[in-house]
Amino acid sequence: IDANDLTEWLIYTIIIEKLMLRDFRRSPSVNPSARRQFLQNLAMRLSERGEGVAKQELFEDLISRHFKSDLRLLSSEDRRRRVDELFDDMRSSATLTRTAGGDGWIFSHNSLREFFVASGMIGGLVNGRPLNTSIPISPVMSGFVTSMHKEKLQTVIQKFGELWTERSAHSNIGSYLSLIWPSLRRSDGAGFDILSGSSGKALMLDGVRIEGIRFTDEPGLSGKSIVGNGSEFSDTSFLAFDLQGSEFRGSVLDSVSFVDCKLSGTTFDGAFLFECTFINCDFTGASFRGLDESSSIVIARHEGILTRLEGQEVLGFLAFNGSSTDKVSDFDRLSFHPKISI
């Protein structure tokens, strides 16, 4: 292998292969591919749960699923014995380490878990069997994918584009979007075209969960509005982004930041805003009608001091700044006039 061809993806692929061969020499009863698949499933289950430690119960549950075809041929007593053998075998993998307390096992390095997740998700996507579970995606996971060789990455993006057209049938497609998002920036942002509608002027993000994504004015995104009706946006940020004419009808926005954004003509009707931050945004002509009554936002007031608003305070702020809202009192609206201190 030429040193110039080495990428993070390839390096970790080689590391995993060598560790699987080490495990195979120690225990030849399980072939390397089956063990690798089991460890991928273990990594995904831990990531899905937001846990780092695998207990015996989790091992046994995965063993019963992963080795189901072999176990069902055994008698009850032999099956129990084989499960115990596989538990001892799987937990002894060179990729795992026992916790200090001795009550569980963790991946020897967190990056191994993250690579197992990333490679498992990409493998399922390319093979036409995308995972049907939502997994939090870390920057390291998406970094692995971005490091793939251009030709392989292009195949991944193409497969994802095909999946995106059927996004309503895939509850976890938001996890794939988070995983692949940084890779779409390659080729001057041309990858973002797969998210656009037939007009090419809007990112079609409706009916999905968007988490941990950063929208900025950059090639491929600049000049595009967003159709995010019925979606859930979480821990997402819009920075100096022109959202004029975008749609967030009936969406849930949880801890979403809007900084230096143009919201003119943007529709948030029927949405629920939870702890969303709005700083230096243009609200002229935006619509927030039917906003969930328990919505809360954070704004910058009085020399940049962040202030939390809820209920009628939210409507008052939006109305004062030029948005269309449900009925709001003059008191709540005018309390945001710079000459009034409350």
Side-chain angles (χ1 to χ4, degrees):
I1 299 176
D2 191 310
N4 294 324
D5 293 331
L6 288 177
T7 66
E8 285 184 299
W9 182 275
L10 182 56
I11 290 171
Y12 270 76
T13 298
I14 294 172
I15 290 173
I16 295 298
E17 288 179 353
K18 288 186 175 297
L19 292 175
M20 293 304 95
L21 288 175
R22 182 187 300 178
D23 285 341
F24 183 65
R25 287 193 292 270
R26 173 183 56 80
S27 177
S29 64
V30 178
N31 67 61
S33 61
R35 188 185 303 277
R36 181 170 55 251
Q37 183 63 55
F38 177 86
L39 291 167
Q40 276 185 345
N41 292 340
L42 178 63
M44 291 184 209
R45 185 72 72 86
L46 289 175
S47 299
E48 181 184 0
R49 294 179 173 184
E51 300 174 353
V53 180
K55 302 294 183 69
Q56 181 172 346
E57 294 76 17
L58 177 56
F59 273 96
E60 293 183 349
D61 177 58
L62 289 175
I63 287 170
S64 66
R65 298 168 185 269
H66 190 69
F67 298 98
K68 182 178 180 179
S69 58
D70 295 331
L71 294 172
R72 68 182 180 181
L73 301 176
L74 303 176
S75 65
S76 178
E77 182 178 343
D78 288 340
R79 187 182 305 116
R80 179 66 258 178
R81 184 182 301 109
R82 182 55 179 158
V83 168
D84 290 340
E85 291 173 351
L86 287 170
F87 168 59
D88 289 338
D89 192 346
M90 294 299 108
R91 68 181 176 84
S92 300
S93 170
T95 62
L96 300 173
T97 301
R98 194 160 193 168
T99 60
D103 59 343
W105 290 262
I106 60 175
F107 281 93
S108 303
H109 195 283
N110 198 44
S111 61
L112 290 175
R113 175 188 62 80
E114 292 171 305
F115 181 75
F116 271 127
V117 171
S119 59
M121 291 182 65
I122 293 301
L125 176 65
V126 172
N127 294 325
R129 297 189 298 273
L131 301 183
N132 195 29
T133 183
S134 295
I135 296 177
I137 303 300
S138 70
V140 173
M141 294 177 191
S142 56
F144 279 130
V145 178
T146 304
S147 75
M148 296 177 73
H149 286 302
K150 184 176 181 179
E151 295 76 13
K152 292 184 177 180
L153 184 58
Q154 190 57 46
T155 299
V156 169
I157 292 175
Q158 178 185 342
K159 291 290 185 179
F160 175 73
E162 296 170 1
L163 190 70
W164 192 253
T165 61
E166 304 172 350
R167 57 190 174 280
S168 61
H170 300 278
S171 61
N172 73 319
I173 195 167
S175 293
Y176 273 103
L177 180 60
S178 297
L179 181 66
I180 294 173
W181 184 265
S183 300
L184 299 180
R185 290 194 170 98
R186 296 178 66 166
S187 301
D188 294 324
F192 292 116
D193 290 343
I194 63 174
L195 304 175
S196 300
S198 56
S199 68
K201 296 180 179 180
L203 298 178
M204 306 304 295
L205 306 179
D206 51 311
V208 298
R209 176 179 171 80
I210 309 293
E211 183 174 10
I213 289 180
R214 188 170 179 262
F215 294 84
T216 59
D217 185 11
E218 61 182 283
L221 293 179
S222 182
K224 284 186 169 66
S225 60
I226 288 178
V227 176
N229 298 326
S231 292
E232 180 180 348
F233 292 81
S234 177
D235 294 319
T236 298
S237 59
F238 296 90
L239 306 177
F241 200 81
D242 188 347
L243 285 164
Q244 294 183 88
S246 294
E247 303 174 14
F248 295 91
R249 291 183 177 89
S251 291
V252 175
L253 294 93
D254 179 2
S255 303
V256 177
S257 297
F258 297 87
V259 179
D260 297 324
C261 291
K262 296 179 181 179
L263 301 176
S264 302
T266 303
T267 303
F268 292 87
D269 292 351
F272 171 48
L273 310 180
F274 179 74
E275 304 298 319
C276 291
T277 301
F278 292 91
I279 298 177
N280 196 32
C281 294
D282 178 7
F283 292 92
T284 307
S287 181
F288 289 84
R289 294 188 177 277
L291 203 64
D292 190 286
E293 295 180 355
S294 58
S295 291
S296 60
I297 66 174
V298 176
I299 65 169
R301 293 187 70 179
H302 307 306
E303 299 181 353
I305 297 176
L306 296 181
T307 304
R308 183 179 184 275
L309 307 177
E310 58 184 12
Q312 288 297 305
E313 294 176 322
V314 174
L315 297 184
F317 169 78
L318 296 171
F320 179 78
N321 284 280
S323 298
S324 297
T325 67
D326 293 338
K327 187 176 181 180
V328 60
S329 70
D330 289 340
F331 174 83
D332 286 317
R333 179 171 57 84
L334 295 176
S335 64
F336 293 94
H337 194 286
K339 292 185 178 181
I340 296 178
S341 177
I342 298 180

